[in-house]
Amino acid sequence: MKEVTVNQLVFKKSLSIIEQMKLKDFMFKWLDRPEEGIDDILPLEYTQSVFAKMETPSDTNFMTEGDETLRYVTLTEDNQIVIGVLDANDELKFRILYLEDY
């Protein structure tokens, strides 16, 4: 696995509809295919501030493993999936995966 720091990542400035749907599909699979559907348990909104991302609404506090709060999911120019979460100390942490793996 290649290790990179977040300052080495180049985020996409915009996401196509297909990329947005792929990110939603990825999150659906990442959450073990919930019966309710991704939009019911984790509504993601497309935003383009600083970089393009599928972001959780401000009134949504979706908790992931390890008491982390999901903030957004996005793509880099190298088609890496970047998941931004807040840890218990409200520090932004990242998980980086490759879209081709999912």
Side-chain angles (χ1 to χ4, degrees):
M1 177 194 306
K2 178 181 172 184
E3 289 190 24
V4 296
T5 60
V6 80
N7 62 345
Q8 294 174 307
L9 298 174
V10 179
F11 295 103
K12 291 194 173 192
K13 300 287 185 214
S14 65
L15 298 173
S16 69
I17 297 293
I18 292 171
E19 290 169 326
Q20 292 174 44
M21 297 306 293
K22 281 189 175 233
L23 287 173
K24 279 188 169 190
D25 185 56
F26 166 78
M27 293 304 294
F28 180 71
K29 291 174 185 172
W30 191 61
L31 296 171
D32 293 327
R33 303 174 192 270
E35 289 182 21
E36 300 88 355
I38 193 71
D39 290 329
D40 292 332
I41 63 164
L42 181 60
L44 294 169
E45 299 173 351
Y46 179 63
T47 62
Q48 279 185 285
S49 58
V50 181
F51 58 91
K53 58 191 166 289
M54 299 298 290
E55 191 169 27
T56 58
S58 58
D59 62 345
T60 302
N61 287 324
F62 186 83
M63 301 298 286
T64 65
E65 59 195 49
D67 292 330
E68 297 172 330
T69 304
L70 181 70
R71 298 309 312 146
Y72 63 84
V73 59
T74 191
L75 289 174
T76 67
E77 291 293 339
D78 293 329
N79 282 328
Q80 296 164 301
I81 298 170
V82 178
I83 301 171
V85 296
L86 293 176
D87 67 10
N89 297 320
D90 285 336
E91 290 184 37
L92 190 58
K93 303 286 183 175
F94 303 96
R95 290 198 178 105
I96 303 169
L97 310 158
Y98 281 93
L99 187 58
E100 297 85 40
D101 296 338
Y102 295 92

